[in-house]
Every structure is written in structure tokens, then in C-alpha cells.
Amino acid sequence: MKGPVQVENSVPCTMETGVSDRYVEQVQRAQRDPEAFWLSQARRLVWHKAPSHASRSDFGGDVRIAWYEDGQLNVAQNCLDRHVLTQPDKPALIWEGQEDGQRLVLTYRELHAQVCRLANTLRRLGVGRGDRVAIHLPMVAEGVVSMLACARIGAIHVVLFGGFSAEGLAERLVDSGAVVVITADVARRGAKAIPSKVTMDEALLACGASSHVRHVLVVPVTGTDVPMQPGRDLSYAAEVAMEIPDCPPEVMDACDPLFLMYTSGSTGRPKGVVHGTGGYLVWASYTHELVFAAQPGDVFWCTADTSWITGHTYVVYGPLCNGATILIYEGLPSWPQPGRWWDVIDRNNVSVFYTSPTVVRAAMREDADVVRSRSLSSLRVLGTVGEPISPEAWQWFHDEVGKACCPVVDTWWQTETGGVMLTASAGQVPGRPGAAGLPLPGIDAVLVDAQSQTVVEGAGDGLLCMARSWPGQAMTLWRDHERFRQTYFTTCPGRYFSGDGARREADGYFWITGRVDDVVNVSGHRIGTAEIEDAVATDAEVVESAAVGVPHDLKGQGLVVFVVPRTEGSLDPAAVRRAIAEGVGRYAVPEQIYVVRDLPKTRSGKIVRRLLRKIAAHDLSNLGDLSTLSDPDIVEDIIAQVAAQA
Ligand code: 6R9
């Protein structure tokens, strides 16, 4: 591992007693002189031109996020070339397919060669610095290769989730202005075949004249024949085969965008979160090393899809920048049989396993023998991300998967933060079941009282904000800096507001209490309720609708939608489901749809979501004073409706 941060040697047991001295010392050092601290962290990268200063960020005025501004570097060079020099034959990437026996190992030299061939292909197709390339692939090696190939030539990648509908894809293709798309013929998901190319064709058709896409590269994931549009569509395999395995990296400025990541907020349109080059990579490397106590021999398995920020920072950029071996697995946890992922761990000697609470909850429900019949002795550190993990699930993960000998790090962070912000760093900060942990050294997390706007000191709760910028912070929203300022810097002026509420214990441990905006977290997928409502509104029979989140045993949260029809009896809930599947994607289809006469509203016309959330969760206690509603009777009607469908 490069860089000044040395982490304690192996972490043999989870009986740590307190926060390590070296952690406390780092927190103090970062607090005393943040500029010097972050400048020293920049040394973990190789720079074409080393930066002379760290942050020039400002949370006031128009808001400016700028890290290592005068530095120059290339991300792919940091993730590949420097390791090719020192450890060319070390496995960089292990891929396992979901069919038995499918396995591929790429050494650093081989991964570098593949990246260069694709980078040359993209350049030949006219892609240059700052151009956007959309990547729409399942968990195959080509996904990682594509991201790094973009980074190598300074193109901005936009990785799109395989579960998006054609319309969802089209919206993001148009907004990003992508010029090339890399997709698969067909993706596998357990027994299902996902028609990636056909969906992409529909998306491009839907873009119409607003599309900037000149070429579609098709990766033969299953080898299925798919329609190819002459001139536009090209075979990935044939194109890369024409190129040489060497490609000079583009020298990028530290504040050039590296990628866009679309995420949901409380308003309808998905936001294109823009991450920069130098700051983001420092953050990916720093957090990967510190949080997971990374070691050179690690086989690091982050189970996140690469279309999620977690897949960017901890499948690709953090571990590869630090020279680790990454594992990617194509399939589901329990297909074709329960315990499939445990076999992947045993077969590949995975040492760090980073997954979501949803996966842990599902595994807990399986027969105890499933996990107990596996060795799992290669594991050293376990982690979760995406949603709160309950103390029970934490304990099960710790005891059954970690055999009570691996620290469990619950990591709180967001698309906008680029990497982990609050956690129990392995071997340095003891884990506490259910709590997110402590801010990383250099992170100035504060709780702000929503009413008084004052900072809560010591134990208490409030809106989770950051008082100072950090290297991984998103720079802006794609072509909408004003929306960036409004979304994150106006709720608590002068601070970054995360959208989450949190509680802090007297000793500094944070507990996340959940989103305070209209975002629902279904199995770690961030879904804006406004996005759902926009999709529902495309049905001509719908007057209006309200989507809310309810507690869900397996998924953490589930979605419930209340819909008001134009005329009584005119609306089929199946049509509403279809509208959501088509407008957003199948992953966002709600658990329940209630067709109701009207929605509860204030006299000023605001939908009272708090009421709908309680009714949908069958919690009829403390409904509050209903007399302030424009039509108080509607609440009884909705309650009756929900009871009738229960
Ligand atoms: C990395 C990622 C961010 C939102 C975030 C919060 C929730 C993430 C969490 C967590 C409790 C954790 N969240 N990690 N809540 N404990 N460890 O998930 O990014 O998809 O942008 O979601 O997810 O509500 O605000 P993203």
C-alpha cells in the first residue's frame, strides 16, 4: 500500500476495547491543519503534476467544490500502470459467472492491456476528453474495463443500471449527452434473461432527435444474436481485437469530471451527480485503506452493482488504486442454490466482504446449515452499506459469517460523498451493532437542529450535515449547478446537508435515523417518490398520486402508492404498476397500490405524507389533529380502504 496511512496489521479478533490511538491521532492531525492533512493524503497517488494545495472549496455564495485544483493526473494510470510496474502478474480482477465453472482471472498486466485496447477503440470512434460514454452492462469484467478505458482517455462515464426501463435509460442518455453506449447482448439474472440490447434500442428510439449516441458497442455476454443497426452498432469483441494493448493516458486536471452518477432526490428528475478526478481518487484510496484495514494480499469483494456509487468506489477505484485484487460475481446470492455467495468466498479466498443489509437479512432467513456448512475462514473484515443494519442482522453477520472473528463495519455514505464518511473502521474503531460509527479523520460531521438552525453539541439528534468539504465530495450536478446549491446548501446554510437525520451518543457514535426528504430506500435503491408519482401521472385515468415508504422486513423499506382516479372504478391498479415499470423500472414497482377517492391535504393543498406513511404502515396511533385538513373525512375512507385490502 502506498501513502502515509499505515493501518494496524491483521485484525484477529473483534474484541477491541476502544478507539485506537493512531485513529485519534489522525483525527486530531486532520482537525489541526486540514490543508496539510489532505495535501499529505494526495501523496498516495501518482501525479503528472503534484498539487500545490488541497481544498479551494467554499460552501457559501454560489458554492464551489474544488480539490487539488492545480494537480494533474490520470485515474487509469493510478489504478493500473503503476501496479504493472511493480506487480504485473498479480491478479487484479477475478470474475465468476453464475454458471458453474465460469471463471476469469486478469492480472494487472492483462487488465491494463484490455483497458488500453478499448481506450484506443473509443478514441478511434471519436471519443475524446469530456465526452460522455454510457455503460449499461451486468457484472462482467468488461464493465470495469469500460470505466477505466473512459478514465484513460478523459471521457466521462455514466454507468446505467440494468434494471432501468427504456424510458429511464432514455432520460439519462439525453441528459448526459452520451455519444457512445456500451451494452450487453443479454444479461443473466438467475433464471431470467434480461434483454439489454433490445431495451437499449428502445431507449435510443425514445430519445429520438435528442440522442447524441453515434455508436453502440455490444459485449457478447451470452452470445445471443441481437439486432444490430449497421453503421451504429458494433461488436465490442471485434473492435477491441483491432487495437494494440497500449494507449497513452490523457493528462487530466484534478477538477475535470471523472464520471456522472444519476441518483434520486426529492424532486422528479434524476440528478447527474458529478465527481471529479483528483479528489475523488484520493478519497476512494484513503477510505478503502482505512475503513477495511486494507492489506496487499486482500481479495476484496464488494457485491454492489457497478451502476451504483458503491460499485464505482469499492468495486473499481479504491481497491485498484491501492493495488488489491478485486472480485466480481455475476449472479444472485442464492441462485441456483442457497449459499452460492458463501461458495464464491471460499473458492476465491475472499478476505474482505462488503455487502448490503438486504443481503444479510435474506441470508439470515435461510436454514442455519447453509452458512454453517461453509468454511468462510479466509474472511478478515465484513462491511455493509446502503441502509441501516439492525442490531440483530449485525450480530448475525458478525457471528455466523464472520465466525465472531471479523470486525463488521457499517458504513454510512452517499452518492454525493464519493466514499465512506461515518463508520467503525476495522481494527481501529470498535463496531457497535446498529450504529454507523464515527466520522473518518478529516470529516467534520455536525447535527443541526431543524427548527433553530443551531448545531447540536454532544448527545442529541438533528439533520446530518458536513461543516467542511472533503476530497470525495461531488463537485456539482450535471449542467445544473444552481440545483446543486439549492439541494444541498440551503437547508442548513453554509453546510452540506445530507438529507438524512441522525442521533449522536455522548461518546460520538452516530446512529442514522433515515431520510428526512421524500426518498425511499428499497433494498438500498434510492427511489424518489416524485419519480414514481411522475410515472403514475402518465396514466390518463390518474388525477394524482402519492408514493410513500413503509417498513419492510426484507427490503428495509417498501413502496406504497395511493392513487386518485378520474372517475370511480375507472382505474386498474395493474395499469398503475405497468406505468411505474415502464417509466422507472421494475425494481420500483410498489408493494401495494390503493385507489382512493382523494388524498389528505392541508388547506394550502399540500399532501400530508406523514399521515399516508402511518396509514400505509397500519400504524393508526397519534394521527394528530385532522381538523386542519381540507377534508378531514378522507382519512377515515383511506383507513377503511387499506384495511379492506390487508
Ligand atoms: C452509498 C449509498 C445514500 C442514502 C443515505 C442514507 C442511506 C447509506 C447507510 C444508509 C443507514 C448506512 N444509507 N448507507 N443509512 N446506514 N450505513 O448508499 O449511496 O445510493 O446515494 O444512498 O442511503 O439514507 O442518504 P446512495
mmCIF file with all atom_site columns, all heavy atoms in Angstrom, residues 105-118:
data_model
loop_
_atom_site.group_PDB
_atom_site.id
_atom_site.type_symbol
_atom_site.label_atom_id
_atom_site.label_alt_id
_atom_site.label_comp_id
_atom_site.label_asym_id
_atom_site.label_entity_id
_atom_site.label_seq_id
_atom_site.pdbx_PDB_ins_code
_atom_site.Cartn_x
_atom_site.Cartn_y
_atom_site.Cartn_z
_atom_site.occupancy
_atom_site.B_iso_or_equiv
_atom_site.pdbx_formal_charge
_atom_site.auth_seq_id
_atom_site.auth_comp_id
_atom_site.auth_asym_id
_atom_site.auth_atom_id
_atom_site.pdbx_PDB_model_num
ATOM 1   N N   . VAL A 1 105 ? -9.520  -14.812 -14.612 1.00 0.00 ? 105 VAL A N   1
ATOM 2   C CA  . VAL A 1 105 ? -8.612  -14.019 -13.780 1.00 0.00 ? 105 VAL A CA  1
ATOM 3   C C   . VAL A 1 105 ? -7.794  -13.124 -14.699 1.00 0.00 ? 105 VAL A C   1
ATOM 4   O O   . VAL A 1 105 ? -7.198  -13.603 -15.664 1.00 0.00 ? 105 VAL A O   1
ATOM 5   C CB  . VAL A 1 105 ? -7.670  -14.922 -12.955 1.00 0.00 ? 105 VAL A CB  1
ATOM 6   C CG1 . VAL A 1 105 ? -6.725  -14.065 -12.111 1.00 0.00 ? 105 VAL A CG1 1
ATOM 7   C CG2 . VAL A 1 105 ? -8.456  -15.883 -12.076 1.00 0.00 ? 105 VAL A CG2 1
ATOM 8   N N   . LEU A 1 106 ? -7.792  -11.835 -14.418 1.00 0.00 ? 106 LEU A N   1
ATOM 9   C CA  . LEU A 1 106 ? -6.969  -10.906 -15.192 1.00 0.00 ? 106 LEU A CA  1
ATOM 10  C C   . LEU A 1 106 ? -5.891  -10.342 -14.282 1.00 0.00 ? 106 LEU A C   1
ATOM 11  O O   . LEU A 1 106 ? -6.207  -9.787  -13.215 1.00 0.00 ? 106 LEU A O   1
ATOM 12  C CB  . LEU A 1 106 ? -7.811  -9.746  -15.743 1.00 0.00 ? 106 LEU A CB  1
ATOM 13  C CG  . LEU A 1 106 ? -8.878  -10.085 -16.773 1.00 0.00 ? 106 LEU A CG  1
ATOM 14  C CD1 . LEU A 1 106 ? -9.685  -8.831  -17.124 1.00 0.00 ? 106 LEU A CD1 1
ATOM 15  C CD2 . LEU A 1 106 ? -8.241  -10.662 -18.034 1.00 0.00 ? 106 LEU A CD2 1
ATOM 16  N N   . THR A 1 107 ? -4.644  -10.488 -14.671 1.00 0.00 ? 107 THR A N   1
ATOM 17  C CA  . THR A 1 107 ? -3.556  -9.880  -13.891 1.00 0.00 ? 107 THR A CA  1
ATOM 18  C C   . THR A 1 107 ? -3.559  -8.376  -14.179 1.00 0.00 ? 107 THR A C   1
ATOM 19  O O   . THR A 1 107 ? -4.231  -7.905  -15.103 1.00 0.00 ? 107 THR A O   1
ATOM 20  C CB  . THR A 1 107 ? -2.195  -10.444 -14.322 1.00 0.00 ? 107 THR A CB  1
ATOM 21  O OG1 . THR A 1 107 ? -1.992  -10.083 -15.695 1.00 0.00 ? 107 THR A OG1 1
ATOM 22  C CG2 . THR A 1 107 ? -2.144  -11.955 -14.161 1.00 0.00 ? 107 THR A CG2 1
ATOM 23  N N   . TYR A 1 108 ? -2.766  -7.644  -13.405 1.00 0.00 ? 108 TYR A N   1
ATOM 24  C CA  . TYR A 1 108 ? -2.673  -6.208  -13.670 1.00 0.00 ? 108 TYR A CA  1
ATOM 25  C C   . TYR A 1 108 ? -2.215  -5.942  -15.103 1.00 0.00 ? 108 TYR A C   1
ATOM 26  O O   . TYR A 1 108 ? -2.727  -5.057  -15.783 1.00 0.00 ? 108 TYR A O   1
ATOM 27  C CB  . TYR A 1 108 ? -1.767  -5.517  -12.638 1.00 0.00 ? 108 TYR A CB  1
ATOM 28  C CG  . TYR A 1 108 ? -2.591  -5.033  -11.450 1.00 0.00 ? 108 TYR A CG  1
ATOM 29  C CD1 . TYR A 1 108 ? -2.678  -5.790  -10.276 1.00 0.00 ? 108 TYR A CD1 1
ATOM 30  C CD2 . TYR A 1 108 ? -3.329  -3.865  -11.533 1.00 0.00 ? 108 TYR A CD2 1
ATOM 31  C CE1 . TYR A 1 108 ? -3.472  -5.356  -9.208  1.00 0.00 ? 108 TYR A CE1 1
ATOM 32  C CE2 . TYR A 1 108 ? -4.118  -3.428  -10.481 1.00 0.00 ? 108 TYR A CE2 1
ATOM 33  C CZ  . TYR A 1 108 ? -4.184  -4.173  -9.323  1.00 0.00 ? 108 TYR A CZ  1
ATOM 34  O OH  . TYR A 1 108 ? -4.977  -3.740  -8.286  1.00 0.00 ? 108 TYR A OH  1
ATOM 35  N N   . ARG A 1 109 ? -1.275  -6.771  -15.594 1.00 0.00 ? 109 ARG A N   1
ATOM 36  C CA  . ARG A 1 109 ? -0.798  -6.571  -16.966 1.00 0.00 ? 109 ARG A CA  1
ATOM 37  C C   . ARG A 1 109 ? -1.946  -6.808  -17.957 1.00 0.00 ? 109 ARG A C   1
ATOM 38  O O   . ARG A 1 109 ? -2.147  -6.033  -18.891 1.00 0.00 ? 109 ARG A O   1
ATOM 39  C CB  . ARG A 1 109 ? 0.353   -7.541  -17.240 1.00 0.00 ? 109 ARG A CB  1
ATOM 40  C CG  . ARG A 1 109 ? 1.160   -7.193  -18.493 1.00 0.00 ? 109 ARG A CG  1
ATOM 41  C CD  . ARG A 1 109 ? 1.837   -8.418  -19.099 1.00 0.00 ? 109 ARG A CD  1
ATOM 42  N NE  . ARG A 1 109 ? 2.490   -9.284  -18.118 1.00 0.00 ? 109 ARG A NE  1
ATOM 43  C CZ  . ARG A 1 109 ? 3.788   -9.190  -17.773 1.00 0.00 ? 109 ARG A CZ  1
ATOM 44  N NH1 . ARG A 1 109 ? 4.545   -8.274  -18.306 1.00 0.00 ? 109 ARG A NH1 1
ATOM 45  N NH2 . ARG A 1 109 ? 4.297   -10.040 -16.893 1.00 0.00 ? 109 ARG A NH2 1
ATOM 46  N N   . GLU A 1 110 ? -2.719  -7.863  -17.713 1.00 0.00 ? 110 GLU A N   1
ATOM 47  C CA  . GLU A 1 110 ? -3.806  -8.192  -18.649 1.00 0.00 ? 110 GLU A CA  1
ATOM 48  C C   . GLU A 1 110 ? -4.947  -7.176  -18.596 1.00 0.00 ? 110 GLU A C   1
ATOM 49  O O   . GLU A 1 110 ? -5.520  -6.801  -19.629 1.00 0.00 ? 110 GLU A O   1
ATOM 50  C CB  . GLU A 1 110 ? -4.344  -9.600  -18.342 1.00 0.00 ? 110 GLU A CB  1
ATOM 51  C CG  . GLU A 1 110 ? -3.350  -10.688 -18.712 1.00 0.00 ? 110 GLU A CG  1
ATOM 52  C CD  . GLU A 1 110 ? -3.673  -12.042 -18.086 1.00 0.00 ? 110 GLU A CD  1
ATOM 53  O OE1 . GLU A 1 110 ? -4.336  -12.097 -17.016 1.00 0.00 ? 110 GLU A OE1 1
ATOM 54  O OE2 . GLU A 1 110 ? -3.236  -13.059 -18.653 1.00 0.00 ? 110 GLU A OE2 1
ATOM 55  N N   . LEU A 1 111 ? -5.280  -6.725  -17.404 1.00 0.00 ? 111 LEU A N   1
ATOM 56  C CA  . LEU A 1 111 ? -6.343  -5.727  -17.285 1.00 0.00 ? 111 LEU A CA  1
ATOM 57  C C   . LEU A 1 111 ? -5.918  -4.430  -17.979 1.00 0.00 ? 111 LEU A C   1
ATOM 58  O O   . LEU A 1 111 ? -6.694  -3.803  -18.712 1.00 0.00 ? 111 LEU A O   1
ATOM 59  C CB  . LEU A 1 111 ? -6.674  -5.467  -15.805 1.00 0.00 ? 111 LEU A CB  1
ATOM 60  C CG  . LEU A 1 111 ? -7.812  -4.477  -15.546 1.00 0.00 ? 111 LEU A CG  1
ATOM 61  C CD1 . LEU A 1 111 ? -9.131  -4.957  -16.164 1.00 0.00 ? 111 LEU A CD1 1
ATOM 62  C CD2 . LEU A 1 111 ? -8.012  -4.254  -14.041 1.00 0.00 ? 111 LEU A CD2 1
ATOM 63  N N   . HIS A 1 112 ? -4.658  -4.065  -17.756 1.00 0.00 ? 112 HIS A N   1
ATOM 64  C CA  . HIS A 1 112 ? -4.106  -2.875  -18.410 1.00 0.00 ? 112 HIS A CA  1
ATOM 65  C C   . HIS A 1 112 ? -4.242  -3.002  -19.932 1.00 0.00 ? 112 HIS A C   1
ATOM 66  O O   . HIS A 1 112 ? -4.684  -2.068  -20.620 1.00 0.00 ? 112 HIS A O   1
ATOM 67  C CB  . HIS A 1 112 ? -2.637  -2.719  -17.990 1.00 0.00 ? 112 HIS A CB  1
ATOM 68  C CG  . HIS A 1 112 ? -1.907  -1.629  -18.696 1.00 0.00 ? 112 HIS A CG  1
ATOM 69  N ND1 . HIS A 1 112 ? -1.173  -1.846  -19.837 1.00 0.00 ? 112 HIS A ND1 1
ATOM 70  C CD2 . HIS A 1 112 ? -1.810  -0.304  -18.425 1.00 0.00 ? 112 HIS A CD2 1
ATOM 71  C CE1 . HIS A 1 112 ? -0.640  -0.700  -20.242 1.00 0.00 ? 112 HIS A CE1 1
ATOM 72  N NE2 . HIS A 1 112 ? -1.020  0.254   -19.396 1.00 0.00 ? 112 HIS A NE2 1
ATOM 73  N N   . ALA A 1 113 ? -3.909  -4.177  -20.455 1.00 0.00 ? 113 ALA A N   1
ATOM 74  C CA  . ALA A 1 113 ? -3.963  -4.383  -21.909 1.00 0.00 ? 113 ALA A CA  1
ATOM 75  C C   . ALA A 1 113 ? -5.408  -4.250  -22.420 1.00 0.00 ? 113 ALA A C   1
ATOM 76  O O   . ALA A 1 113 ? -5.661  -3.594  -23.434 1.00 0.00 ? 113 ALA A O   1
ATOM 77  C CB  . ALA A 1 113 ? -3.402  -5.757  -22.267 1.00 0.00 ? 113 ALA A CB  1
ATOM 78  N N   . GLN A 1 114 ? -6.341  -4.835  -21.686 1.00 0.00 ? 114 GLN A N   1
ATOM 79  C CA  . GLN A 1 114 ? -7.745  -4.755  -22.134 1.00 0.00 ? 114 GLN A CA  1
ATOM 80  C C   . GLN A 1 114 ? -8.258  -3.321  -22.111 1.00 0.00 ? 114 GLN A C   1
ATOM 81  O O   . GLN A 1 114 ? -8.999  -2.888  -22.987 1.00 0.00 ? 114 GLN A O   1
ATOM 82  C CB  . GLN A 1 114 ? -8.630  -5.618  -21.222 1.00 0.00 ? 114 GLN A CB  1
ATOM 83  C CG  . GLN A 1 114 ? -8.397  -7.102  -21.438 1.00 0.00 ? 114 GLN A CG  1
ATOM 84  C CD  . GLN A 1 114 ? -9.696  -7.896  -21.254 1.00 0.00 ? 114 GLN A CD  1
ATOM 85  O OE1 . GLN A 1 114 ? -10.784 -7.338  -21.229 1.00 0.00 ? 114 GLN A OE1 1
ATOM 86  N NE2 . GLN A 1 114 ? -9.571  -9.206  -21.141 1.00 0.00 ? 114 GLN A NE2 1
ATOM 87  N N   . VAL A 1 115 ? -7.871  -2.620  -21.067 1.00 0.00 ? 115 VAL A N   1
ATOM 88  C CA  . VAL A 1 115 ? -8.302  -1.227  -20.939 1.00 0.00 ? 115 VAL A CA  1
ATOM 89  C C   . VAL A 1 115 ? -7.730  -0.401  -22.095 1.00 0.00 ? 115 VAL A C   1
ATOM 90  O O   . VAL A 1 115 ? -8.429  0.409   -22.710 1.00 0.00 ? 115 VAL A O   1
ATOM 91  C CB  . VAL A 1 115 ? -7.888  -0.660  -19.560 1.00 0.00 ? 115 VAL A CB  1
ATOM 92  C CG1 . VAL A 1 115 ? -8.026  0.855   -19.518 1.00 0.00 ? 115 VAL A CG1 1
ATOM 93  C CG2 . VAL A 1 115 ? -8.714  -1.317  -18.455 1.00 0.00 ? 115 VAL A CG2 1
ATOM 94  N N   . CYS A 1 116 ? -6.454  -0.631  -22.403 1.00 0.00 ? 116 CYS A N   1
ATOM 95  C CA  . CYS A 1 116 ? -5.829  0.132   -23.486 1.00 0.00 ? 116 CYS A CA  1
ATOM 96  C C   . CYS A 1 116 ? -6.491  -0.155  -24.831 1.00 0.00 ? 116 CYS A C   1
ATOM 97  O O   . CYS A 1 116 ? -6.729  0.754   -25.628 1.00 0.00 ? 116 CYS A O   1
ATOM 98  C CB  . CYS A 1 116 ? -4.336  -0.187  -23.560 1.00 0.00 ? 116 CYS A CB  1
ATOM 99  S SG  . CYS A 1 116 ? -3.420  0.582   -22.205 1.00 0.00 ? 116 CYS A SG  1
ATOM 100 N N   . ARG A 1 117 ? -6.801  -1.429  -25.084 1.00 0.00 ? 117 ARG A N   1
ATOM 101 C CA  . ARG A 1 117 ? -7.457  -1.759  -26.365 1.00 0.00 ? 117 ARG A CA  1
ATOM 102 C C   . ARG A 1 117 ? -8.802  -1.037  -26.498 1.00 0.00 ? 117 ARG A C   1
ATOM 103 O O   . ARG A 1 117 ? -9.131  -0.500  -27.551 1.00 0.00 ? 117 ARG A O   1
ATOM 104 C CB  . ARG A 1 117 ? -7.711  -3.268  -26.465 1.00 0.00 ? 117 ARG A CB  1
ATOM 105 C CG  . ARG A 1 117 ? -6.469  -4.093  -26.728 1.00 0.00 ? 117 ARG A CG  1
ATOM 106 C CD  . ARG A 1 117 ? -6.864  -5.564  -26.896 1.00 0.00 ? 117 ARG A CD  1
ATOM 107 N NE  . ARG A 1 117 ? -5.754  -6.453  -26.633 1.00 0.00 ? 117 ARG A NE  1
ATOM 108 C CZ  . ARG A 1 117 ? -4.833  -6.791  -27.558 1.00 0.00 ? 117 ARG A CZ  1
ATOM 109 N NH1 . ARG A 1 117 ? -4.925  -6.308  -28.771 1.00 0.00 ? 117 ARG A NH1 1
ATOM 110 N NH2 . ARG A 1 117 ? -3.841  -7.597  -27.230 1.00 0.00 ? 117 ARG A NH2 1
ATOM 111 N N   . LEU A 1 118 ? -9.564  -1.034  -25.429 1.00 0.00 ? 118 LEU A N   1
ATOM 112 C CA  . LEU A 1 118 ? -10.864 -0.359  -25.506 1.00 0.00 ? 118 LEU A CA  1
ATOM 113 C C   . LEU A 1 118 ? -10.682 1.159   -25.581 1.00 0.00 ? 118 LEU A C   1
ATOM 114 O O   . LEU A 1 118 ? -11.402 1.843   -26.320 1.00 0.00 ? 118 LEU A O   1
ATOM 115 C CB  . LEU A 1 118 ? -11.754 -0.736  -24.313 1.00 0.00 ? 118 LEU A CB  1
ATOM 116 C CG  . LEU A 1 118 ? -13.125 -0.055  -24.312 1.00 0.00 ? 118 LEU A CG  1
ATOM 117 C CD1 . LEU A 1 118 ? -13.932 -0.409  -25.574 1.00 0.00 ? 118 LEU A CD1 1
ATOM 118 C CD2 . LEU A 1 118 ? -13.934 -0.424  -23.069 1.00 0.00 ? 118 LEU A CD2 1
#
